[in-house]
Structures are given as C-alpha cells and as structure tokens.
Amino acid sequence: MGGDRKTGPESPPGQASGTHRILAGFHAVGARLRTDPGSIEVLYFDTGRRDARMQQLLARAGATQVRCVGVDAARLRGFSPEAPHQGLVAQVAALRPGVNLDRLLDAVTPKTLLLLLDGVTDPRNLGACLRTAAAAGADALVVPRDRSASLTTVAAKAAAGAAEVVPIIAVTNLARAMKDMQDAGIWIVGAEIGAARSLYEVDLTGARAWALGAEGSGLRRLTREGCDELVHIPMSGGMESLNVSVAAGVCLFETQRQRRQKGL
C-alpha cells in the first residue's frame, strides 16, 4: 500500500523544524494528503486499527505512492506525545512559504479578509482560530513572532487540517504590520469588550482585518490604538468574554454575511 507496510521497529520522526514537521490525526494528515501528498515523507499508522476510516485513508495514501509504515500504539504515542494521534502520524516536509505579508498586501482586493491574533499563546486556541478562519474564508492569519503560539503538533491537531489551507504570517512588529495593512487599503477592526458600537453596527464589506486578543487580557495597547475601529460583541446572560476562536467565528462570519447581503 503505497510503499512499505511493515511493523518492525522504527525510529521516531524528528521534531518540527524548518525542513519538516509532524502531523497527527485524520484531519491534519488527510488535509496534507489532499493538498500535497508528495510532501509526506512517511505515514505511520496503528496496525491494531483496522476500521473503515483507516483503510480508506491508507488506500488514498497508497494511490499517491505515500510510504506507509505500520507500528504499534505505544510507538505512535512516542511519535506524537503532545497531541492525540488517532492511530495516525505523518512526518511531512514543511511547505514552501507561498505567502508573506508583502505578497499578501500586493494582492489586496475588496474581498480581502485577515485575522490578527495579539497575545494568543495557547496552541490549541491558535489551531482553533485557524480552523475558524478557514471555515470563514479568511486569506491569512497574522501573529507576532513573540508572545504568540506557533504551529506545533498540538496546534495543527486543533486546526483539523486548516493549517494546510490558511497561511500563518508571523511578523516582527505587529503595530508596524497593521500600518502596512492600512496603507494597502485594509480597514482594521478590533474586538474590544468596552467599545461603544457593536460589530453589527459597522460596515464590514470592504477589505477588512479583524484584530483579536487573548480571552481575559484582550488587545494590547499599541494594537488597540492601531485599529481603525473598535467594536464589541453583544452578549447576554452575564457573560463578558468569549474564547478567542469563538469570537473570531462571530466576527469573521458576520463579515461574510454582510458581504453576501450586498452581493459581494
């Protein structure tokens, strides 16, 4: 099936680096298998799992000549100690960088939609935001290089394949990057609990970037001051805040709702 189907001892794949990284679970591995199977160096699967879902994925891997290696569940846990693997781990080549901020800003259109995360350090939240951004049709997720989670195995697992769809752009200075976005014609809207207007009261139909901070701490001062507009998400039941990935979903999908309503 697509190369080796052996169960003998294997050395665990290396940790994520500039040349390769580890994907765990059906969503993350399946997404890479769909988008770039040639970048999968080796796919490790649990020989004790023989259900239809596993067999279907292995058949797809075999059809694209991906090398498949059977190992036991204990060895898989060693391959992916941080993230649940569901019986499936792949060592993959890091995708060639296809998007950076300059290239993104050179191609701004009225439909451009970005998500900026400020101070989100939990990799599961980063992954969940990636999944939300992909579902809402965002073009990229922008994070600062410091004080931010990175695309670890845990984040990729939480992203459920979205890490293969939505690029993450890490910038050295988020405030400066925001200014560059504004110069390119992108209006930046920040989600802030104390803002006077709600997101349902602002026009979201042009090129937009949503800036969100971590739950509790919110946006940092420089990020907040760099936004063109601040809005709040109306909530009832005594709730003051939402998980950042939930807030991202509310904001991004309201943007797309307004655009569809105007036929954009």
Side-chain angles (χ1 to χ4, degrees), residues 58-252:
L58 291 176
R60 287 169 48 205
T64 54
Q65 300 301 304
V66 170
R67 180 183 177 221
C68 299
V69 176
V71 297
D72 60 31
R75 194 170 297 276
L76 277 174
R77 285 194 295 273
F79 291 172
S80 177
E82 297 180 326
H85 54 72
Q86 300 176 296
L88 198 65
V89 171
Q91 178 170 301
V92 302
L95 293 177
R96 294 183 299 276
V99 178
N100 58 35
L101 187 60
D102 289 337
R103 190 174 301 174
L104 183 73
L105 298 184
D106 284 342
V108 170
T109 74
K111 292 185 178 181
T112 294
L113 180 59
L114 307 178
L115 177 61
L116 282 57
L117 297 182
D118 182 29
V120 175
T121 57
D122 186 326
R124 291 175 179 82
N125 278 338
L126 176 69
C129 286
L130 264 175
R131 186 174 185 176
T132 297
D139 297 289
L141 190 154
V142 180
V143 298
R145 292 191 188 279
D146 298 325
R147 295 188 72 251
S148 173
S150 58
L151 191 58
T152 61
T153 304
V154 172
K157 179 70 169 60
E164 311 303 313
V165 178
V166 176
I168 298 179
I169 299 175
V171 297
T172 303
N173 186 310
L174 185 59
R176 184 180 303 125
M178 292 170 67
K179 182 64 170 62
D180 291 339
M181 293 175 199
Q182 290 163 329
D183 289 344
I186 299 174
W187 188 264
I188 302 176
V189 185
E192 181 77 4
I193 293 174
R197 294 211 291 171
S198 84
L199 81 162
Y200 303 115
E201 299 176 89
V202 299
D203 180 9
L204 301 172
T205 56
R208 295 291 184 268
W210 277 99
L212 278 71
E215 183 178 2
S217 57
L219 296 171
R220 291 179 293 175
R221 179 182 61 82
L222 286 178
T223 306
R224 185 170 59 251
E225 292 176 353
C227 293
D228 294 291
E229 185 144 23
L230 296 173
V231 300
H232 69 271
I233 300 173
M235 285 178 275
S236 59
M239 296 294 100
E240 293 185 353
S241 65
L242 296 170
N243 175 272
V244 63
S245 65
V246 176
V250 173
C251 297
L252 293 173

